[in-house]
Amino acid sequence: MTGVQTCALPIFLSMLALLLIMSSVSAKEIVTIYYAWSAGDTIANYGRTLVDEANKIQDRYTFVFDTKPGAGNAIAANHVRTTANTILFTSSAFFIRPNFYPNESYNINDFQELMPFCYGPMAVSSFKYKTWEEVPKDKPLNIGVSGLGVTSHLISLQVIEKYPQMQAVPFKSVNEAMLGMISGSLDFTVGFIGEAEQWAKEGNKQQLYVLGITGSQAVNGFNPLVNFGFNSALRQSNVPHHLVVPTSVSADKFNDWRNILTKAQRAKSVQESYKVDSCRPTTLRDNELNPWFSQQIEHWRKLSSGVTLK
């Protein structure tokens, strides 16, 4: 064998190995999980950590995390409904939006539950007011929400019942609403505890005050809104974060994705991501998915009924 041939053999083997690796990678199906709000939300970390863990434990799919904010999660939902190998990462807003905007949303019956993450409270916060007693009732006020016809909007309307001079201002995410309040353009915002706690620490040059949360129990020293005389519906307004897929997804693929993602969900990194927002982990057996989905539709329909959007 000549020197040239001897030298070429390792190169050939390296190229062959590279081709085999590329072939293996390209054989994987790409599955994109679309979060329906901003990538800057603390909630988005549930999806990021889930994707990381799911890619570690199997080699059949490459899971990817992405976002499609806007229209109260309707943009992401409609994209997933019409695009193969996609999963929608959403919240209770998924069940609420069609109640208020049936013609600008989607048909819930086109989707099915894949997996819930957890239940977490939402917080009403302010940089300007430390307590509800300080909030004026004879002055125009505003409150930032993560879109129209979504959970934060629904919660804001319960606050507006007591402060009718207040106006809801829509953003694409709770994080963007928080940035609006930091800039001074908002009096209040409705968001998640993770966002609020970053600014609520004593000693901050600009300190945030959490004036109340949804649910019936205090969390991290933050008291329920119902304790301050707000509508009792807020006791039942903690938010489920979950994954849904179109009903058109094959049973084999549905089961495959569900098995991988429920296993990935048990990873410490995913569970730790929930703690940032005091989100209580929720696990459903296969036969509990459809009943839970139906129950959520009815629950949020009841909470939405009788509410007039402003």
Side-chain angles (χ1 to χ4, degrees):
M1 182 177 292
T2 67
V4 174
Q5 289 174 320
T6 303
C7 183
L9 184 58
I11 296 175
F12 171 77
L13 292 175
S14 297
M15 292 180 63
L16 180 60
L18 180 60
L19 288 171
L20 289 172
I21 292 171
M22 292 177 64
S23 175
S24 175
V25 171
S26 64
K28 290 185 183 181
E29 285 190 74
I30 295 176
V31 180
T32 305
I33 297 178
Y34 282 103
Y35 178 59
W37 288 274
S38 167
D41 292 355
T42 55
I43 303 297
N45 289 328
Y46 306 173
R48 292 191 188 94
T49 54
L50 184 76
V51 160
D52 289 343
E53 295 298 335
N55 288 332
K56 289 177 185 176
I57 61 177
Q58 51 79 46
D59 59 6
R60 298 186 300 284
Y61 302 97
T62 297
F63 289 93
V64 177
F65 175 82
D66 204 350
T67 63
K68 276 199 174 294
N73 100 142
I75 290 176
N78 282 312
H79 178 76
V80 168
R81 180 178 59 83
T82 57
T83 307
N85 279 11
T86 58
I87 298 171
L88 176 64
F89 174 9
T90 184
S91 69
S92 44
F94 174 78
F95 302 107
I96 297 170
R97 172 80 183 190
N99 295 329
F100 294 118
Y101 298 100
N103 297 324
E104 297 85 17
S105 299
Y106 41 83
N107 186 343
I108 288 180
N109 294 323
D110 289 339
F111 297 87
Q112 58 187 322
E113 186 67 23
L114 182 68
M115 187 190 83
F117 283 109
C118 55
Y119 278 93
M122 296 201 82
V124 178
S125 307
S126 177
F127 282 110
K128 296 181 180 179
Y129 304 103
K130 296 181 182 180
T131 66
W132 288 112
E133 287 74 19
E134 295 181 7
V135 180
K137 292 194 174 183
D138 58 353
K139 172 185 173 182
L141 300 167
N142 55 34
I143 183 167
V145 299
S146 57
L148 298 177
V150 296
T151 320
S152 59
H153 189 197
L154 190 62
I155 292 166
S156 77
L157 295 176
Q158 309 295 353
V159 177
I160 290 171
E161 277 187 1
K162 286 191 69 175
Y163 298 90
Q165 81 282 18
M166 186 183 293
Q167 180 179 6
V169 181
F171 290 79
K172 286 185 177 181
S173 70
V174 293
N175 183 59
E176 289 187 14
M178 177 65 75
L179 293 175
M181 190 167 64
I182 292 169
S183 72
S185 62
L186 293 174
D187 299 306
F188 304 89
T189 189
V190 182
F192 295 104
I193 285 181
E195 270 93 10
E197 283 194 314
Q198 294 175 25
W199 294 91
K201 297 175 182 176
E202 291 186 11
N204 281 353
K205 184 176 181 181
Q206 190 176 11
Q207 185 176 348
L208 181 75
Y209 301 97
V210 177
L211 301 184
I213 62 173
T214 58
S216 58
Q217 302 293 325
V219 175
N220 297 350
F222 306 138
N223 291 310
L225 287 160
V226 292
N227 289 9
F228 303 101
F230 288 97
N231 196 306
S232 61
L234 291 168
R235 293 183 190 275
Q236 303 168 312
S237 298
N238 280 356
V239 179
H241 302 283
H242 58 122
L243 302 178
V244 300
V245 295
T247 53
S248 58
V249 171
S250 70
D252 287 344
K253 189 162 285 188
F254 178 94
N255 291 330
D256 217 12
W257 293 352
R258 176 166 164 74
N259 289 337
I260 294 167
L261 295 175
T262 52
K263 182 178 180 181
Q265 184 189 31
R266 293 193 288 269
K268 182 179 179 181
S269 63
V270 180
Q271 296 293 311
E272 289 292 325
S273 71
Y274 299 165
K275 292 180 181 180
V276 174
D277 297 288
S278 299
C279 204
R280 178 173 53 84
T282 303
T283 303
L284 297 178
R285 294 188 291 269
D286 292 350
N287 63 355
E288 295 175 322
L289 289 175
N290 289 340
W292 184 86
F293 193 77
S294 298
Q295 186 271 334
Q296 290 297 311
I297 293 173
E298 185 58 26
H299 175 73
W300 294 103
R301 181 182 291 133
K302 285 181 179 178
L303 291 186
S304 303
S305 64
V307 175
T308 301
L309 295 187
K310 298 178 182 180

